[in-house]
Amino acid sequence: MNKKILMKGNEALAEAAIRAGCRYYFGYPITPQNEVPAYMSKRLPEVNGVFVQAESELASINMIFGAGACGARCMTSSSSPGISLMQEGISYISGAETPAVIVNMMRGGPGLGNIAPSQGDYFQAVKGGGHGDYKIIVFAPASAQEIVNFTVLAFDLTIKYRIPVMILGDGLLGQMTEPVVLPEMKEIQDDINWSICRGQDQVIIRSLYLVPENQLELHNLHLQKKYRSIEKDLNKYYEQYNANDCDYLIFAYGTTARVCKAAIDRLQKENIKIGLFRPISLWPFPKEEIISISSKIKKAFVFEMAQAQFEEDIRLSFEGKKEIKGFYKLGGAIFNDDEIYELIKKNI
Amino acid sequence: MITGKILYKRPKTLKDVNMSYCPGCSHSLMNKILCEIIDEFDIQKKTVVIAPVGCAVLLYDYIDCDSVEAAHGRAPAIATGIKRVNPDNIVISYQGDGDLLSIGMAETIHTANRGENITVVFMNNAVYGMTGGQMAPTTLVGQITKTTPSGRNPENEGYPIRACELINTLEAPYFIARCKVTNSKSIMQTKKILKKAIGYQINKKGYSFIEILSNCPTNWGMKPKDSNKWIQEVMSKYYPVKIFRDKGEA
């Protein structure tokens, strides 16, 4: 096993991508993810990879569309405003079914907002920020180590399912330095039989189907079938922290969930039976598990750095059967554990 | 039994299907010329054409090569991604004026500026064809379109953009030329120039930009013959037909 080293979240992500076989990176500078392109620009040439600083996020997402059309393991990274610009391309990539790993280290919004950590892009990520009926796989890690693990998984899944996979972090996770264990460098030879540039009969990578009934409708039905099978396959990515035999359960993801744990430790010392349920894959959403756990508790709390976006999916899972109380931080503000502790004490 | 020498036939790479282009449109001619060149170089299996948004959106239905269909204006970015993964493949970004000079201006300029080893075929017909004849960045001053009903007025709409001249300000491009396809002579000349550009790409020389002054009989409201005459007499006065740069001849 490789030894533990200290790395910034963004750099750990970049190195994990390379070890997962990513050899093509296209990106445009934006804070708080600038360590990713900086790392890639130095490291990719060492492994015979390609780094291109694109002229915009519109260009970078389309460059990975081109690279993905060749069946390549490719990645772009950005932060909220840049990810908004990429939505057009994400819709096209989803329609055309090419692989792409997209990193969003979220920052405060709306608009130019600020460069502080946020979870305000939840809807955009999991409900589809671009046009049309499509889904992308979204992982929300909560530590540098999880960033590494889920980045590696993201590349395998994007190749397997030909669907964009997003790593949804935030400025805090990207900037924080933590110990990580990196995986071995993978020697990748993906067995791809659908891509362009294989010297075979014509391959067309497209999202245009002019006839509704027997073309675009069928294509959409095919996509929906794929999404249902992904939902079935990827239903195990969540963490439960002291979640058995609880009166109260906190729902939170990413950075916020981590802060919640500290509050839970304090509350438990006071014999308050409270735990945490943390989805790691935000789509597919671990709905079944949440439905099952919801029947065992008295009341749920939701904490997120956004206005009741993640909470909406919790409510949809609960179907109104139990009380849910949500707490939000907006515009790049973050929770601290004292605050969470007090809020829980007041509301139980 | 028919004997004798075949003098002319459909290029192998050009599919035997009906095209959706209007009668007399330069697109069908340029699709054919492109296919002839692909056949002559014997690169059908290694060529990728990027289909743009616009009249050529179904390019892959006519040209029997691998193809990626781009979002409006993004063809050069997609071409960049493909070429960086597969430098030995031949990548052709086929685009119209709205695509290349309006919504895709940034991608156009920066792909040229990086000197990506691709060939851009720029079909300039001074109008948005697919959407029904609106003003394009290349619409001439005074030209009537769906969105310039009194003619393009520079005070409100600015002046038409000259693409070759713009790209000619950049250091990296290897070959920049403007052509027209209005008669046999200019068609042969265009083919020669485009073949040279693709030859440069095969030999990894770098970025080529080939503009074709094209007609749009439908949206110009002209017969094909008159539209070609308009290119000769009006359009090519503002957009001079010439080779702007040829590093291979320098």
Side-chain angles (χ1 to χ4, degrees):
Chain A
M1 194 171 131
N2 287 332
K3 63 175 189 193
K4 264 188 187 175
I5 52 168
L6 273 176
M7 274 186 115
K8 228 179 196 191
N10 283 333
E11 290 177 344
L13 181 143
E15 181 61 30
I18 286 168
R19 294 189 184 206
C22 173
R23 291 296 176 272
Y24 305 96
Y25 174 91
F26 307 91
Y28 184 83
I30 184 170
T31 308
Q33 62 80 55
N34 289 318
E35 293 80 4
V36 181
Y39 193 95
M40 285 303 211
S41 65
K42 182 167 180 287
R43 188 78 172 92
L44 272 172
E46 294 172 2
V47 292
N48 297 318
V50 171
F51 168 88
V52 177
Q53 180 167 324
E55 58 271 27
S56 69
E57 289 88 350
L58 294 174
S60 37
I61 192 72
N62 282 285
M63 287 173 186
I64 65 166
F65 185 18
C70 304
R73 292 187 171 222
C74 53
M75 180 170 92
T76 187
S77 62
S78 188
S79 178
S80 309
I83 298 291
S84 291
L85 279 174
M86 290 186 192
Q87 294 305 319
E88 173 196 63
I90 294 172
S91 170
Y92 277 73
I93 291 170
S94 300
E97 296 186 275
T98 60
V101 172
I102 300 154
V103 178
N104 181 4
M105 290 299 175
M106 290 182 280
R107 55 185 257 182
L112 201 51
N114 58 28
I115 56 171
S118 164
Q119 295 179 323
D121 304 350
Y122 180 90
F123 279 157
Q124 188 191 55
V126 307
K127 311 284 181 187
H131 55 284
D133 276 310
Y134 72 89
K135 284 286 179 188
I136 64 171
I137 296 171
V138 182
F139 287 122
S143 66
Q145 186 62 57
E146 276 193 359
I147 287 177
V148 167
N149 300 348
F150 284 95
T151 299
V152 172
L153 180 63
F155 281 97
D156 291 339
L157 296 178
T158 198
I159 292 290
K160 181 178 176 188
Y161 294 111
R162 297 170 59 186
I163 182 175
V165 182
M166 179 175 279
I167 302 294
L168 189 69
D170 61 49
L172 201 148
L173 286 166
Q175 298 293 322
M176 191 161 52
T177 298
E178 287 195 283
V180 291
V181 178
L182 290 163
E184 295 295 334
M185 184 77 91
K186 265 199 206 178
E187 287 307 324
I188 305 289
Q189 270 298 44
D190 289 316
D191 184 19
I192 286 177
N193 61 6
W194 55 265
S195 68
I196 59 166
C197 298
R198 288 177 300 115
Q200 306 289 315
D201 287 344
Q202 185 187 35
V203 171
I204 303 166
I205 304 292
R206 69 195 295 190
S207 61
L208 177 80
Y209 298 88
L210 285 171
V211 182
E213 288 79 14
N214 62 10
Q215 288 187 0
L216 190 55
E217 187 183 30
L218 283 184
H219 179 59
N220 267 277
L221 290 171
H222 151 76
L223 289 176
Q224 291 303 322
K225 197 174 159 196
K226 179 168 90 170
Y227 299 153
R228 296 297 86 76
S229 95
I230 293 171
E231 282 173 333
K232 219 168 116 194
D233 294 354
L234 306 181
N235 61 1
K236 58 178 186 220
Y237 296 110
Y238 55 84
E239 183 201 9
Q240 300 190 62
Y241 183 73
N242 295 328
N244 290 325
D245 190 26
C246 273
D247 293 330
Y248 307 101
L249 199 54
I250 295 177
F251 291 87
Y253 71 94
T255 293
T256 311
R258 226 166 134 176
V259 185
C260 288
K261 280 187 185 177
I264 287 169
D265 290 347
R266 279 176 65 189
L267 291 158
Q268 284 203 327
K269 279 181 193 149
E270 298 172 21
N271 292 321
I272 295 164
K273 288 163 86 176
I274 186 163
L276 171 77
F277 188 97
R278 175 174 72 94
I280 301 173
S281 67
L282 299 180
W283 192 86
F285 196 68
K287 193 174 173 180
E288 295 304 321
E289 198 57 36
I290 293 174
I291 290 170
S292 126
I293 207 165
S294 69
S295 64
K296 301 169 191 159
I297 60 166
K298 287 182 187 163
K299 185 176 177 180
F301 298 101
V302 175
F303 287 87
E304 60 178 311
M305 300 190 287
Q307 186 65 40
Q309 296 190 26
F310 167 69
E311 184 185 311
E312 189 173 287
D313 277 340
I314 301 296
R315 287 189 181 276
L316 286 168
S317 305
F318 270 55
E319 292 178 329
K321 285 174 187 155
K322 289 283 163 67
E323 190 188 345
I324 298 171
K325 176 90 181 142
F327 301 100
Y328 325 110
K329 285 281 185 186
L330 302 176
I334 57 174
F335 285 103
N336 66 51
D337 53 334
D338 289 340
E339 207 175 354
I340 293 173
Y341 170 87
E342 295 295 337
L343 284 167
I344 299 284
K345 289 279 275 186
K346 261 186 233 164
N347 285 280
I348 55 173
Chain B
M1 187 182 159
I2 300 163
T3 55
K5 199 177 161 192
I6 295 169
L7 294 175
Y8 184 80
K9 62 173 182 175
R10 172 184 290 277
K12 179 166 64 102
T13 302
L14 189 68
K15 294 184 188 179
D16 190 3
V17 293
N18 290 333
M19 289 175 161
S20 57
Y21 303 123
C22 304
C25 167
S26 307
H27 271 302
S28 42
L29 179 62
M30 282 313 299
N31 285 194
K32 187 196 77 173
I33 289 174
L34 193 52
C35 288
E36 284 176 355
I37 295 167
I38 289 167
D39 285 1
E40 285 164 23
F41 279 126
D42 193 19
I43 51 170
Q44 184 188 4
K45 294 285 182 198
K46 59 189 287 197
T47 298
V48 184
V49 290
I50 316 296
V53 167
C55 292
V57 69
L58 295 172
L59 198 59
Y60 42 72
D61 282 351
Y62 316 133
I63 298 182
D64 190 10
C65 290
D66 282 357
S67 184
V68 178
E69 173 196 271
H72 202 15
R74 318 288 173 236
I78 291 173
T80 298
I82 296 167
K83 194 70 181 188
R84 294 297 183 117
V85 175
N86 292 298
D88 293 333
N89 283 75
I90 304 306
V91 182
I92 295 161
S93 184
Y94 186 103
Q95 301 176 259
D97 35 45
D99 192 71
L100 185 137
L101 279 181
S102 190
I103 196 165
M105 179 62 107
E107 286 82 356
T108 294
I109 291 292
H110 286 276
T111 305
N113 194 47
R114 285 190 302 268
E116 297 291 343
N117 185 29
I118 65 164
T119 309
V120 175
V121 178
F122 171 37
M123 299 296 285
N124 176 6
N125 62 8
V127 79
Y128 280 74
M130 173 78 110
T131 46
Q134 295 84 357
M135 183 189 74
T138 50
T139 293
L140 294 179
V141 171
Q143 189 182 335
I144 289 170
T145 71
K146 282 270 166 62
T147 50
T148 54
S150 309
R152 182 176 189 156
N153 173 7
E155 281 183 21
N156 196 47
E157 288 102 23
Y159 290 88
I161 299 172
R162 294 182 178 100
C164 287
E165 287 82 345
L166 198 59
I167 292 186
N168 200 25
T169 63
L170 306 172
E171 294 291 330
Y174 194 81
F175 187 39
I176 305 167
R178 182 180 289 125
C179 314
K180 59 186 176 188
V181 283
T182 51
N183 54 30
S184 302
K185 192 184 166 194
S186 63
I187 290 169
M188 281 159 72
Q189 183 66 15
T190 297
K191 183 177 168 184
K192 206 173 137 195
I193 285 173
L194 185 55
K195 189 169 179 182
K196 196 174 193 184
I198 293 173
Y200 282 149
Q201 184 181 167
I202 293 169
N203 293 315
K204 297 194 161 56
K205 296 293 185 190
Y207 179 91
S208 290
F209 185 87
I210 310 302
E211 175 175 345
I212 320 287
L213 298 183
S214 315
N215 62 2
C216 183
T218 300
N219 288 302
W220 292 357
M222 291 181 196
K223 289 178 179 162
K225 203 176 163 188
D226 295 334
S227 69
N228 284 339
K229 202 174 156 202
W230 194 75
I231 292 175
Q232 291 277 23
E233 291 174 1
V234 182
M235 210 174 158
S236 51
K237 296 281 188 296
Y238 189 82
Y239 299 112
V241 169
K242 64 174 195 170
I243 291 171
F244 289 81
R245 183 189 300 178
D246 185 351
K247 286 191 186 175
E249 299 285 336

